[in-house]
Amino acid sequence: MTQSFWLFGSRLNIIADHITTGGQYDLIEGYSPPSTQTPLHRHTRYSEQLYVLEGEFTIWAGENKFVLSAGESFLISPCTPHVIGVFSDQSARGLVIAAPSSFARLIAAVGTLDETTAPDMALFERISAEIGDEILGLPGAFPAAQGVGI
């Protein structure tokens, strides 16, 4: 059963989580309108694979910047500082596989049922720490080694 939540301006649909995959991975469909992006962060315990279904996602990962279009994918290895955003004038939709399972727990705990409600940041920080995520900056920050703007 798919669960839908809003987090940092994106609608995230949990398709599979630790319950249905035995903890092996999470499968999440994400819809992001223009001008949305994640905070600068890294996952210390799991990898994140993004596959673009529609539109265009920009990923800053470590010292690299990638612009992905429909049909393209990118693997973010554990411990890589990264940001994922939509900077075109069109929305983007993609699939994320997080392995092993952890990311869906954060979405379900912190995501909101309506896009206008802000997440509980204290809860976000607590759950992030529990699953091994490190928040390195607010939305708008990019990996320091990047040295590039949008």
Side-chain angles (χ1 to χ4, degrees):
M1 181 167 96
T2 301
Q3 304 171 61
S4 292
F5 300 96
W6 288 91
L7 188 61
F8 297 115
S10 294
R11 186 181 69 229
L12 303 172
N13 302 314
I14 300 171
I15 298 168
D17 64 9
H18 70 283
I19 295 169
T20 57
T21 69
Q24 296 296 306
Y25 66 92
D26 297 322
L27 177 60
I28 297 145
E29 176 190 28
Y31 165 82
S32 299
S35 301
T36 56
Q37 75 178 73
T38 65
L40 175 60
H41 66 287
R42 71 174 150 220
H43 313 292
T44 64
R45 298 182 189 154
Y46 60 93
S47 63
E48 180 178 4
Q49 176 89 33
L50 172 64
Y51 177 80
V52 182
L53 296 169
E54 298 172 1
E56 188 177 276
F57 284 97
T58 301
I59 300 175
W60 286 264
E63 297 182 8
N64 301 298
K65 176 183 174 181
F66 303 92
V67 179
L68 304 178
S69 299
E72 296 181 312
S73 68
F74 185 78
L75 175 66
I76 302 166
S77 299
C79 298
T80 303
H82 64 282
V83 171
I84 301 172
V86 177
F87 298 102
S88 68
D89 60 354
Q90 297 180 348
S91 299
R93 190 170 66 94
L95 293 174
V96 170
I97 298 172
S101 178
S102 284
F103 187 39
R105 176 178 172 217
L106 177 67
I107 295 166
V110 181
T112 62
L113 298 178
D114 128 17
E115 66 186 300
T116 63
T117 304
D120 177 335
M121 290 308 291
L123 179 61
F124 177 79
E125 290 173 9
R126 183 175 63 81
I127 300 296
S128 291
E130 288 175 8
I131 66 171
D133 285 2
E134 298 174 346
I135 308 307
L136 305 172
L138 298 174
F142 297 94
Q146 200 55 60
V148 298
I150 298 169

